[in-house]
Amino acid sequence: MLAGALGGSLFGPAPAGAVAREIIDLQNSMAQVIQGQQNMQTEITQNAAVQRTLIEQSLDAVNKLNNSMSAVQRTTQDFSAASGARLDTMGTQVQGLSDNVADLQARMGKLDQKLTDIQNTLQNVDSKLASPGPSSAPLSAPPAAMSSPSGNIPTIPPGGPAPSAAGPPASADVLYSNALRDINGKHYDLATQEFQDYMKYYGDTDLASNAQFYLGEVAFMQNQYQTALDAYNRVIENFPKSFKTASARMRKGFCLVELGQKASAVRELRAVVRLYPGTDEARRSAAKLKEMGATVS
């Protein structure tokens, strides 16, 4: 009986108080899970708000950076354009100075030759004076001039020299130097007239190709691009072996750019890069091609 009582107490149904405690524990666990979910949802919502704020701030920073970059790009383009204009002017002045130096060297060579000739002449005169010679014959009297019927006013005999026609305004050296000086002084109209006179009277001299080139430079500096293009073409066609040919072809490309003929300009500038490698004209042509967004080759 005692064993039966013990077995019944072990294997019988649990008391009602134990079941209630299990239910309460399960309810507490469910409440904790629900509270954890709520906390997690709150944290996710807060993180999303923070991320949205960070994204908006990043977008604002990117927009401000884009605006700053656009302003810097515009400033750089303006500076590049102004620098290019100044470089063109300085290049023309340097070329003018180089031509002046070459002209001075040529003049010095001529003066040296003249001094040598004068020295030789003086030596010949000294040698003649030092050596005895035959007595000189008396000079014959000059023929009398023909007079007018009244016998007072002399007249030019028939067949005498006729008055000479109007010649060039100045010598080649003076005319060329004056024209270069007027370019540097920005007296463009006067420089154009002087270079045109040089080509008219001295078109077969060594500096004729230079004069023709500077006619194009004067027109280019006055934004007369078609006139400049015609002048550069004359250099290329009439003086193909001149050292100004490379500069003329480069400037021709620049004129075509200004005239809106992009395809022809690209073709001409690429030719300068190909035909005159390593020169300043090739470097400037390559830079212009990059500025236009075209490839060098």
Side-chain angles (χ1 to χ4, degrees):
M1 290 177 62
L2 180 61
L6 290 172
S9 63
L10 289 174
F11 298 103
V19 173
R21 283 196 300 273
E22 290 180 358
I23 293 173
I24 292 172
D25 292 339
L26 182 60
Q27 289 177 345
N28 291 334
S29 298
M30 290 297 296
Q32 291 176 358
V33 171
I34 293 172
Q35 184 64 37
Q37 289 180 343
Q38 291 176 349
N39 293 338
M40 185 180 296
Q41 185 175 1
T42 302
E43 185 176 357
I44 291 173
T45 303
Q46 291 175 351
N47 288 338
V50 171
Q51 290 179 354
R52 188 181 302 110
T53 302
L54 292 175
I55 291 173
E56 291 176 353
Q57 291 176 351
S58 299
L59 289 176
D60 291 339
V62 169
N63 290 332
K64 291 179 180 178
L65 181 60
N66 287 334
N67 294 333
S68 300
M69 290 297 295
S70 299
V72 170
Q73 186 175 8
R74 287 193 299 271
T75 303
T76 303
Q77 290 175 348
D78 295 340
F79 179 76
S80 177
S83 299
R86 286 196 294 269
L87 285 175
D88 289 339
T89 303
M90 290 176 62
T92 301
Q93 293 176 351
V94 169
Q95 287 177 345
L97 291 175
S98 177
D99 292 338
N100 279 335
V101 171
D103 186 37
L104 288 174
Q105 290 176 343
R107 290 186 185 182
M108 290 297 293
K110 292 178 182 178
L111 287 175
D112 186 61
Q113 184 62 42
K114 288 181 179 180
L115 288 174
T116 302
D117 294 341
I118 291 172
Q119 186 176 5
N120 293 334
T121 302
L122 291 175
Q123 290 176 352
N124 292 333
V125 170
D126 290 340
S127 61
K128 288 180 180 180
L129 291 176
S131 61
S135 58
S136 59
L139 297 176
S140 58
M146 296 181 64
S147 60
S148 63
S150 62
N152 295 326
I153 304 174
T155 60
I156 299 175
S164 60
S171 67
D173 294 338
V174 172
L175 192 58
Y176 187 85
S177 298
N178 289 344
L180 285 179
R181 180 198 62 209
D182 289 328
I183 282 185
N184 293 329
K186 297 184 179 181
H187 305 303
Y188 297 134
D189 293 339
L190 186 56
T192 298
Q193 183 60 52
E194 288 165 337
F195 279 126
Q196 287 175 346
D197 288 342
Y198 191 96
M199 295 302 299
K200 178 179 179 181
Y201 296 108
Y202 307 109
D204 55 350
T205 61
D206 295 336
L207 293 177
S209 62
N210 292 27
Q212 182 62 55
F213 175 80
Y214 284 121
L215 282 171
E217 291 291 272
V218 173
F220 190 92
M221 286 185 284
Q222 293 178 292
N223 299 329
Q224 300 171 1
Y225 300 115
Q226 185 60 53
T227 302
L229 179 63
D230 295 339
Y232 296 136
N233 279 330
R234 291 191 186 95
V235 176
I236 298 168
E237 295 168 1
N238 299 336
F239 308 97
K241 296 182 179 180
S242 169
F243 73 95
K244 289 293 187 185
T245 303
S247 297
R249 296 199 68 169
M250 178 194 71
R251 286 299 214 180
K252 176 182 178 180
F254 290 177
C255 286
L256 291 171
V257 173
E258 298 296 338
L259 292 172
Q261 302 178 28
K262 182 177 179 180
S264 299
V266 169
R267 199 162 44 244
E268 190 67 30
L269 294 173
R270 284 177 178 171
V272 174
V273 174
R274 184 180 68 256
L275 296 174
Y276 309 100
T279 61
D280 180 65
E281 288 80 5
R283 288 189 291 271
R284 294 176 66 185
S285 297
K288 192 68 173 179
L289 286 168
K290 292 180 180 178
E291 180 184 332
M292 296 167 60
T295 58
V296 176
S297 59

